[in-house]
Amino acid sequence: MKHITKIEYIDDVKCRVILDSFDVLELDTFTVSTSPLKEGEDFEDEVLEGVIFECDCIKAQKESIKYLSSRMRTAKQLAKHLAEKGYDGKIIDLTIDRISSWGYIDDASYARTFIEYRLSSSKKSWRAIEYDLKVEGVEKDVITDVLSEYERDESERALEVAQKIVKDKRDEKTLKRLQGSLARNGFYWDAISYALKQLGHEEDEDWNE
């Protein structure tokens, strides 16, 4: 049982709840004002703990919106950020559910934006882009669903990247360097070979060594 000695409303955001044990709690003004807490009354521990929990959730929500304001993030990235700020798992899970329902987090939208950016500004293969999405924390089923929206031809992607790399050059030295570049960006040999042939190189055994 806790006795509320005084409630001081500092402003529209913050208030102090003073207990008879001389503990002072800084809580969210709106949450406290709409809670059953009243000055001079006693409350079960569970009631006060519930108000404190809701105030912590509101703090986590504000921290989340601030974190998400600079760019899109995945739910996993947000969870990691909140954990680093000291929030426990229950608060993190509830916060992510609320933030997602408000449209601040949408992993499918994040994946589409990520893919479009990688396709236009990187030399990555489709396979490498899919791997990077997993590293970013996008769930496997979300990745699968979003990737199904694209025509993914790894050979054509390799050719597109190859053309950007070599431009008008077709000498053997340039094409051999191209092979290495495509391999480092996640393309398998079949796709690399296709791109090289389209650029006019006739495959020989030395290139497979």
Side-chain angles (χ1 to χ4, degrees):
M1 188 74 70
K2 293 289 189 298
H3 181 78
I4 309 296
T5 301
K6 190 173 184 179
I7 298 177
E8 298 178 346
Y9 290 99
I10 301 170
D11 53 33
D12 294 338
V13 177
K14 189 185 299 181
C15 74
R16 294 191 186 98
V17 175
I18 303 172
L19 308 179
D20 59 353
S21 59
F22 301 106
D23 290 326
V24 179
L25 307 174
E26 285 200 353
L27 302 177
D28 175 71
T29 293
F30 177 77
T31 304
V32 172
S33 66
T34 56
S35 76
L37 300 185
K38 299 289 186 271
E39 285 187 5
E41 296 186 10
D42 295 330
F43 294 91
E44 295 292 338
D45 290 355
E46 292 78 5
V47 174
L48 184 57
E49 289 168 1
V51 174
I52 293 172
F53 177 81
E54 185 58 32
C55 288
D56 286 341
C57 286
I58 289 175
K59 288 180 183 178
Q61 290 162 22
K62 290 178 179 178
E63 177 62 36
S64 298
I65 293 171
K66 178 181 177 182
Y67 179 64
L68 297 168
S69 64
S70 59
R71 67 178 180 86
M72 296 179 71
R73 314 273 186 172
T74 65
K76 185 175 180 179
Q77 289 170 338
L78 176 57
K80 180 181 177 182
H81 176 74
L82 291 176
E84 290 172 348
K85 290 293 182 179
Y87 294 99
D88 66 31
K90 189 174 180 181
I91 290 175
I92 292 172
D93 290 343
L94 182 57
T95 299
I96 289 177
D97 285 344
R98 289 178 177 177
I99 291 292
S100 298
S101 70
W102 299 338
Y104 284 97
I105 289 180
D106 183 341
D107 279 7
S109 178
Y110 179 95
R112 293 186 190 97
T113 301
F114 185 93
I115 289 169
E116 295 296 339
Y117 179 77
R118 283 290 191 271
L119 290 176
S120 63
S121 64
S122 81
K123 303 180 181 68
K124 296 288 187 77
S125 66
W126 277 107
R127 182 170 68 96
I129 291 173
E130 181 176 356
Y131 174 79
D132 287 346
L133 280 171
K134 293 176 183 176
V135 172
E136 290 289 301
V138 181
E139 295 294 332
K140 183 177 180 181
D141 58 340
V142 175
I143 295 174
T144 300
D145 289 344
V146 172
L147 286 177
S148 69
E149 301 171 7
Y150 293 84
E151 293 289 338
R152 289 180 294 142
D153 187 318
E154 200 74 293
S155 294
E156 290 299 329
R157 173 63 180 163
L159 177 59
E160 177 187 353
V161 171
Q163 289 170 331
K164 290 180 181 178
I165 294 173
V166 302
K167 297 181 180 178
D168 295 328
K169 296 181 180 179
R170 294 293 187 274
D171 59 278
E172 184 174 338
K173 185 177 180 180
T174 297
L175 294 177
K176 283 193 174 183
R177 286 178 177 173
L178 171 63
Q179 179 190 358
S181 179
L182 291 175
R184 287 190 297 274
N185 281 284
F187 291 97
Y188 287 126
W189 174 249
D190 287 349
I192 295 173
S193 178
Y194 172 83
L196 291 172
K197 287 180 180 178
Q198 295 303 309
L199 293 176
H201 176 77
E202 292 299 326
E203 183 180 347
D204 58 52
E205 294 182 358
D206 291 340
W207 281 57
N208 271 312
E209 293 179 353

